[in-house]
Amino acid sequence: AANFKKTLVLDSDAQVIRELRAILSFYNCEVIETKNAEQCLQQASESVPDIILIHDIPGAIEAKELARQLKDNTGLRHELPPI
């Protein structure tokens, strides 16, 4: 976790986000929460995270499509690993 100081988390379950925040905070990581794909895309562009953790995606965009859109984002082409 030391190499991923800014972590973007996408999950619709607040409990999962709280648990990830607790774990990542232990490693001094900044956690940016998003609850849907649109927020995730917006925050990814604005905050340029080191890693994106995608767990549960509510809404119309599926995980593969979201990963493709993130990969196609020119501002994120520093080999951002969506997980």
Side-chain angles (χ1 to χ4, degrees):
N3 294 327
F4 302 121
K5 291 296 185 184
K6 190 182 292 187
T7 303
L8 180 60
V9 176
L10 169 57
D11 200 300
S12 62
D13 187 335
Q15 179 64 33
V16 171
I17 291 175
R18 278 192 300 274
E19 290 173 8
L20 283 171
R21 179 179 292 286
I23 292 166
L24 294 168
S25 293
F26 178 80
Y27 294 99
N28 298 314
C29 295
E30 175 187 355
V31 177
I32 303 160
E33 302 175 20
T34 59
K35 295 187 179 5
N36 60 51
E38 292 77 19
Q39 285 180 356
C40 183
L41 288 167
Q42 180 180 354
Q43 284 297 320
S45 293
E46 291 175 8
S47 61
V48 189
D50 297 307
I51 192 168
I52 299 176
L53 301 176
I54 301 170
H55 180 248
D56 181 27
I57 303 178
I61 297 178
E62 294 184 12
K64 284 184 181 181
E65 175 60 18
L66 177 57
R68 186 194 63 72
Q69 288 184 28
L70 289 166
K71 185 176 181 179
D72 289 347
N73 184 325
T74 57
L76 299 174
R77 288 200 176 154
H78 63 283
E79 299 189 28
L80 174 72
I83 297 176

